[in-house]
Amino acid sequence: MENPIIMKALLNKYYKSLCGKGDLGPLLSESFLLIETVSKEARGPDAHANSLFFKFARSLEVKKIIIEGGSACAVVNYNLVSQNGEGFSCESAEVWEIKNGKLCSLAMYFDTASYQKFMIPLLFPLSRFKKK
């Protein structure tokens, strides 16, 4: 069983590094699993680096962390800003698995409908022009 004090320190380091664009590699296991939405999973240390959600994250506020066994849950408020200056804020419930001092998986639960509305103009720039 993981030490809760070490787990909390690991999560605090992760969240501090995240928006500071620090190196998350040493914190993640080699088989790290990122689940951003029900239909989107990515595995490996690069999964995090390739996530558009985290590329656009500019600031965050950790509201609560609960630790039990080798798992943790965090409630986090994110502020995202796209390359064209559009902003988006959301609250995420994040479920973590931690083993041997490494972050092994992260499952995020947030308002995906609002996130998609934010992302569609970025992924499909012409989508904001509607045909009449």
Side-chain angles (χ1 to χ4, degrees):
M1 183 180 324
E2 297 291 317
N3 179 325
I5 295 169
I6 293 171
M7 290 172 66
K8 187 163 186 175
L10 182 63
L11 288 170
N12 284 332
K13 186 172 183 178
Y14 165 84
Y15 287 116
K16 185 177 179 182
S17 297
L18 184 62
C19 285
K21 305 304 178 199
D23 184 14
L24 298 173
L27 306 176
L28 308 176
S29 73
E30 286 298 315
S31 60
F32 179 75
L33 174 63
L34 174 62
I35 306 167
E36 286 182 302
T37 64
V38 175
S39 62
K40 186 170 184 219
E41 292 185 4
R43 190 170 288 279
D46 291 338
H48 202 284
N50 295 329
S51 164
L52 286 177
F53 185 95
F54 291 117
K55 284 182 182 179
F56 292 141
R58 293 297 175 262
S59 65
L60 63 85
E61 177 188 358
V62 178
K63 294 187 172 190
K64 183 177 266 192
I65 296 176
I66 301 169
I67 297 172
E68 185 174 315
S71 300
C73 182
V75 178
V76 184
N77 188 40
Y78 287 97
N79 294 302
L80 284 63
V81 178
S82 69
Q83 68 267 25
N84 62 6
E86 296 289 324
F88 173 73
S89 294
C90 73
E91 192 166 81
S92 175
E94 302 184 349
V95 179
W96 291 93
E97 292 297 324
I98 302 169
K99 292 180 186 160
N100 301 320
K102 296 281 187 176
L103 301 172
C104 296
S105 69
L106 166 59
M108 300 176 67
Y109 300 92
F110 58 94
D111 181 357
T112 56
S114 294
Y115 178 66
Q116 286 176 347
K117 286 180 185 175
F118 168 71
M119 290 299 295
I120 284 176
L122 302 174
L123 298 174
F124 306 101
L126 298 178
S127 66
R128 65 185 128 182
F129 302 109
K130 295 182 180 180
K131 293 183 180 180
K132 293 184 179 184

